[in-house]
Amino acid sequence: MANTLYIGNKNYSSWSLRPWLALRWAGIPFEEREINLRQPGYGQQGIAQVLAVAPNGRVPCLHADDLVVWDSLAICEWAAEQRPDAGLWPRDARTRYTARSAVAEMHSGFAAVRRDLSMNIHRRTPAVAWPQDTQADIARIDALWSALRTTHAARGPWLFGERCIADAFYAPVATRMRSYGVALSPAAQSFADAVFADADFLAWEAASVPDSWDRPGFPIIDRLHR
Ligand SMILES: N[C@@H](CCC(=O)N[C@@H](CS)C(=O)NCC(=O)O)C(=O)O
């Protein structure tokens, strides 16, 4: 089977990182094609290069032979079904339902964090006073990670002990916390540390390149993040 995963810019595309990690963690071979999202049509699902491969005009999008799977969660589910023994979902049913809840919460929520702490793997800015809705999102994420880490600490360093799709879903969030100087509680930080030490995450990070306007020395950065 020939698998091709279309993704956005590695420094910025948080949705793309999720299934990319899931495929790597499951040991599913795939070819990746990174599409530069800074093109006309961005934000309107109107990038011609994306529309040529993804019916919804967004990445990530997986082509598995003639099957097209768009949306990060659908791709992760595909990976879990392809490799049922890879542990992409926790084996214990109750733990699995909790993991699915955590993933769904990320997939459909945290709009304020997505708005104010956009993923930018290379960015480091000092902490700022966030609007109330953003503070509430951050507090909820911290509480969720802390509770899961406390419950599952004996089984490993990930949210549910062993690495699963929930970790892939929150990996980009861990980078957002790091980029914007968010102080996490120690248990929550231990999850972020597990992400930052993961070989596959490190491979993605090493390949992530900020746009030229987003590099030190370009004054526009100061205007972007006050
Ligand atoms: N819910 C979708 C979101 C995908 C998404 O919003 N992708 C962004 C890049 S991270 C995109 O392709 N944007 C292109 C556009 O809006 O024109 C998923 O989980 O895959």
Side-chain angles (χ1 to χ4, degrees):
M1 183 183 272
N3 304 318
T4 305
L5 183 67
Y6 294 90
I7 58 173
N9 310 46
K10 283 187 170 167
N11 193 48
Y12 306 104
S13 184
S14 60
W15 292 114
S16 299
L17 172 55
R18 297 176 169 104
W20 189 92
L21 284 175
L23 293 181
R24 295 273 291 224
W25 291 348
I28 296 173
F30 65 99
E31 190 188 320
E32 68 177 48
R33 301 236 178 102
E34 189 173 338
I35 298 176
N36 182 6
L37 297 179
R38 298 218 181 266
Q39 297 194 42
Y42 177 70
Q44 294 152 354
Q45 297 77 62
I47 299 174
Q49 231 182 318
V50 176
L51 282 167
V53 295
N56 61 344
R58 296 179 191 264
V59 283
C61 186
L62 175 79
H63 289 204
D65 291 336
D66 61 347
L67 172 73
V68 177
V69 185
W70 65 96
D71 188 279
S72 55
L73 182 51
I75 300 168
C76 288
E77 292 284 11
W78 175 87
E81 289 186 16
Q82 291 293 308
R83 294 288 159 92
D85 295 331
L88 282 182
W89 287 117
R91 284 177 183 82
D92 171 68
R94 290 179 66 94
T95 310
R96 192 164 62 246
Y97 302 140
T98 310
R100 287 206 165 108
S101 301
V103 165
E105 187 174 358
M106 176 66 244
H107 202 46
S108 62
F110 301 126
V113 156
R114 297 217 291 252
R115 178 192 67 214
D116 290 343
L117 291 76
S118 60
M119 189 172 97
N120 186 330
I121 289 182
H122 285 265
R123 177 169 290 160
R124 298 290 182 274
T125 62
V128 298
W130 299 109
Q132 213 171 359
D133 56 348
T134 313
Q135 278 180 41
D137 273 4
I138 291 172
R140 168 64 191 145
I141 290 165
D142 190 304
L144 177 69
W145 291 359
S146 296
L148 293 173
R149 286 295 306 125
T150 304
T151 304
H152 300 287
R155 296 175 55 84
W158 299 92
L159 291 174
F160 292 86
E162 289 155 339
R163 208 171 51 178
C164 75
I165 287 172
D167 304 299
F169 261 71
Y170 284 97
V173 184
T175 76
R176 293 168 192 243
M177 300 300 187
R178 180 176 66 173
S179 289
Y180 299 95
V182 176
L184 296 169
S185 62
Q189 184 61 46
S190 73
F191 163 65
D193 292 341
V195 171
F196 302 147
D198 180 73
D200 292 307
F201 171 78
L202 288 168
W204 173 284
E205 182 182 45
S208 66
V209 182
D211 283 346
S212 56
W213 56 265
D214 193 16
R215 292 183 192 136
F218 279 74
I220 193 170
I221 273 192
D222 298 333
R223 291 204 297 279
L224 280 175
H225 281 279
R226 285 259 159 85

